[in-house]
Amino acid sequence: MREQLPILPIVILFAAAFLTPLVGMVVERWRLPRLRDWFAVASLGISGAACLGLTQIIWTRGEVEYRLGSWPAPWGITLNIDGFNLIVALLAIGVSLLVGIYAIADMRQNSGLTRFYTLYLLLTVGIMGLTFTGDIFNLYVFLEIMSVAAYGLVAFEEERAEAIAGAYKYLVLGSVGTGAVLLGIAVLYGLVGTLNMRDLALKVQALGIQGQPPLALSVAMAALIAGLGLKAGVVPLHSWKPDAYAGASMPVGAVLAAASTTASLYALVRLLVVIYIPWLNIVRPILLALAVLTMLVGGFLILQQNDLRRVLAYSSISQVGYILLGLGLWTPIGSSGALLHLMNFAIMETLLFLAAGVIIRQAGTSELRYLGGWGRRFPTITMLFGLGALASAGVPPLNGFASKWLLYQAGIEAGQPVLTVMAVLVSALTLIAYGKVFSGLFLGPGEPEGRIFKPSLLTMLPTWVLAILCILLGLWPAQALTYLRSALAVLVDAVPAVQVWGYWDPVVTGMLLLGIAVLASLVVAVSRSLTRSQPCPGKSALYLNGVSTVGDGWGCSYADRELYMAGQHLYWAVRRIFGPVLGALDLSFLKGGLGWVILTVGVLIFLLVQTIGGI
Amino acid sequence: MLMWQNLPYGVAILTFMLGIYCLLFKRNLIKIAIGLKIMSDGLHLLLLCLGYRAGGRAPILPEGGGAKEIVTNLATSFVDPLPQALVLTAIVIGVCVSAVALSLAVKAYQRLGVTDTVGLRGK
């Protein structure tokens, strides 16, 4: 049994996924549909327990290789489990379990839940397999299992038009992404003729030692970065994300944002670090460029959103940028920060989606202008949402702050304070955007109508657990970091002990704080001076926090669609300055998104061929 | 060097590009699904080309010991069977993706009465 433990989390979920329709049929006859939901959740729990059992083995042995069908490593498929992917798997299964419990109550009103739970379990199988596998083609297969299940889940609430539109867009772009991954794998296989990741790493690195690596290597690397980057929602490959999240029900959005993104990022890191380690220094500037783009575009676009689901989508995009930033810097403190942020990201995104889901489910809409008064109606859940929002904006003493603090330090330590400034700026933008959401929820006009029911224990329990985790990880990040060191050991050879606090000398800290203050006042001053020239009704007290239908002037032409509130001029200023750029990135249905994907692949190939070389 | 044995690679890349063209410039939801299929078929062809060896044997060991030289030259005389296995898997996945895409197109027509991406976005 102990020998079979590595495969159990995957097999249990697979079996449960295909048993769910059967259980559903039996249970429908007895009119106990909740039993089927609990069956799905229980299988997630057992799978999670198997993962926990694995931690003990990993703790003592460091890593485990499981051979499927007992075929030895380079020929057969293996599962390679070490500290790094076990942590990702634990996060993913934990998130899936909590969201599954939440979904029992949240999805109660929907019909066809048997299909929902089957797809939900398959999505989790895909994520688990993606993290555990040691075979690169197996990775592609699990990526596709995850993706196809996700397309179906996004379209699940098919009575909403956004669900079908979002799912279709996700399907087309996602298939191009997985197609790119397959292309990369095919080219790699053609180059060295093996699929086992370790063997592949050895053979690819041998190519690097021999001198001029072939052109195919650059093409494969570009295709893999683009494909997995698309799945993780890296700008400019992100355009499916807002639409898919706007279409998905909130539990699905939570799993996609937290577990699926985390697993895709993990796969990207694993391939880059394990296979392309000789060229890592060449890829780093590209990763940093993508990170900066992801943070900034996500940060600025989050300000423009008037829909709670889209706010969450863009917030998750900008958080991915932070993780990439830490990886791109690749210093011990940077990669520790990235890994800690990956963990915190999964927890706080789930918290945000689940807390927002309670309100959205009851209000029946996610447009901010219709959500007025709901914050007053559900103070507890809104406070939990606020906790998640503050955490993802990096406010101490929550978990988002601890990992962002490490990343800020990493930027300065690597001699690139510009990156730190950008990271701080995007945190500020996130905070402002959530301020807008709160302004809508609490201060917006309107009173909740219709039948309002108390959120059940099943929705509150996972939300509370996540909120408490946010606080605990914020208060004791050093402990979390100690546990993450075994994971880091997989990535970096020598892991120096990284201190969260007390790493900096006071001068640098003081300079940074001063910089933040100066930057904030500069942004406010610029936006004020830009809006002062053209007075808007939004600035008068009468319209403050009220919905206005009056539209005049450049800023106010948007007025009928959004809320007026304190600080509104900032959004207008951002839109005034960056409008055309943001318009080009807030992508239209398909052509735009696809165009960016193809352009990105082209640019990546060009850059990598230029830097790595090859003929 | 442009050689006849490289022709399949050219065809594979051309098919892939054709699929991308279809995704970019077609609006009909079903045509886009077809475009996805063409794109992935280009990839499958590429994978098959990688394993092909002109004049190679089928990767099956003959019975008995009569073909010792075949076994010793195994690595150079056999067609690589692995890409074919991979393509088989990839084709199955492609069918799943097509099925989901087409069913979404049906749903878009049933629920929203639209058949193209412009209509889908407008809804």
Side-chain angles (χ1 to χ4, degrees), chain A residues 323-384:
Chain A
I323 299 167
L324 278 183
L325 178 73
L327 294 172
L329 288 169
W330 205 249
T331 50
I333 187 165
S335 43
S336 319
L339 204 58
L340 192 60
H341 201 65
L342 189 75
M343 194 169 167
N344 291 339
F345 162 78
I347 293 168
M348 61 204 186
E349 279 306 313
T350 317
L351 172 61
L352 283 170
F353 271 88
L354 295 191
V358 174
I359 295 171
I360 289 175
R361 172 67 66 183
Q362 302 232 5
T365 176
S366 55
E367 280 191 62
L368 286 178
R369 60 178 166 152
Y370 296 131
L371 286 179
W374 284 93
R376 291 193 294 272
R377 187 69 186 72
F378 289 117
T380 320
I381 206 82
T382 313
M383 282 306 151
L384 292 177

Side-chain angles (χ1 to χ4, degrees), chain A residues 220-231:
Chain A
M221 204 198 284
L224 288 172
I225 293 177
L228 291 167
L230 189 143
K231 285 279 153 195

Side-chain angles (χ1 to χ4, degrees), chain A residues 142-429:
Chain A
F142 278 116
L143 187 71
E144 281 281 18
I145 291 176
M146 178 183 99
S147 307
V148 174
Y151 309 148
L153 281 174
V154 169
F156 184 71
E157 289 188 337
E158 60 184 63
E159 57 279 0
R160 288 190 297 123
E162 307 98 67
I164 294 174
Y168 200 83
K169 185 176 183 180
Y170 184 18
L171 185 138
V172 174
L173 287 173
S175 299
V176 173
T178 48
V181 173
L182 183 60
L183 176 71
I185 292 169
V187 172
L188 271 183
Y189 180 76
L191 203 58
V192 294
T194 180
L195 289 170
N196 183 280
M197 279 204 247
R198 298 238 165 121
D199 200 27
L200 198 64
L202 288 179
K203 291 189 174 158
V204 168
Q205 280 152 30
L207 282 177
I209 294 162
Q210 280 163 19
Q212 189 77 328
L215 172 72
L217 196 72
S218 312
V219 175
M221 204 198 284
L224 288 172
I225 293 177
L228 291 167
L230 189 143
K231 285 279 153 195
V234 174
V235 176
L237 312 165
H238 66 287
S239 68
W240 60 270
K241 234 178 182 182
D243 287 305
Y245 290 7
S249 60
M250 291 314 263
V252 175
V255 176
L256 283 186
S260 168
T261 306
T262 311
S264 310
L265 271 174
Y266 155 78
L268 181 62
V269 175
R270 169 61 54 131
L271 291 185
L272 279 181
V273 171
V274 171
I275 297 176
Y276 290 115
I277 196 88
W279 298 278
L280 199 63
N281 276 332
I282 296 168
V283 188
R284 271 181 44 222
I286 297 174
L287 281 186
L288 281 179
L290 286 176
V292 168
L293 208 60
T294 308
M295 282 195 307
L296 285 181
V297 171
F300 278 115
L301 282 179
I302 189 176
L303 285 178
Q304 313 288 315
Q305 306 308 319
N306 294 308
D307 185 302
L308 188 47
R309 293 174 200 257
R310 284 180 185 268
V311 168
L312 293 177
Y314 280 107
S315 143
S316 94
I317 289 173
S318 70
Q319 299 302 320
V320 168
Y322 282 94
I323 299 167
L324 278 183
L325 178 73
L327 294 172
L329 288 169
W330 205 249
T331 50
I333 187 165
S335 43
S336 319
L339 204 58
L340 192 60
H341 201 65
L342 189 75
M343 194 169 167
N344 291 339
F345 162 78
I347 293 168
M348 61 204 186
E349 279 306 313
T350 317
L351 172 61
L352 283 170
F353 271 88
L354 295 191
V358 174
I359 295 171
I360 289 175
R361 172 67 66 183
Q362 302 232 5
T365 176
S366 55
E367 280 191 62
L368 286 178
R369 60 178 166 152
Y370 296 131
L371 286 179
W374 284 93
R376 291 193 294 272
R377 187 69 186 72
F378 289 117
T380 320
I381 206 82
T382 313
M383 282 306 151
L384 292 177
F385 179 80
L387 197 80
L390 291 177
S392 72
V395 173
L398 297 167
N399 62 350
F401 172 74
S403 43
K404 281 187 178 181
W405 188 245
L406 281 173
L407 292 172
Y408 300 156
Q409 295 178 42
I412 291 192
E413 189 208 36
Q416 286 164 318
V418 184
L419 294 175
T420 304
V421 171
M422 281 179 186
V424 172
L425 174 71
V426 173
S427 288
L429 292 177

Side-chain angles (χ1 to χ4, degrees), chain A residues 137 140-141 144 148 155 158 161 164-165 167-168 171-172 175-176 179 183 186 189-190 195 588-589 591 594 598, chain B residues 20 23-24 29 32-33 36 39 43 46-47 50 80 82-83 86 89 93 97 100-101 104 107 111-112 117 120-121:
Chain A
F137 190 77
Y140 163 75
V141 172
E144 281 281 18
V148 174
E158 60 184 63
I164 294 174
Y168 200 83
L171 185 138
V172 174
S175 299
V176 173
L183 176 71
Y189 180 76
L195 289 170
S588 61
F589 184 60
K591 217 168 169 178
L594 213 53
I598 293 163
Chain B
I20 294 283
L23 291 183
L24 272 176
L29 295 181
I32 290 178
L36 274 179
M39 184 197 80
L43 282 174
L46 180 74
L47 255 173
L50 291 173
D80 188 354
L82 196 57
L86 302 188
T89 316
I93 293 170
V97 174
V100 177
L104 281 177
K107 288 286 179 199
R111 295 269 178 182
L112 315 168
T117 54
L120 204 55
R121 181 162 170 74

Side-chain angles (χ1 to χ4, degrees), chain A residues 33 47 71 127 139 144 185 213 225 318 329 332 365 428 511 526 551 565:
Chain A
S47 172
W71 290 90
I127 294 166
L139 184 136
E144 281 281 18
I185 292 169
I225 293 177
S318 70
L329 288 169
T365 176
M511 292 276 276
V526 168
M565 65 199 79

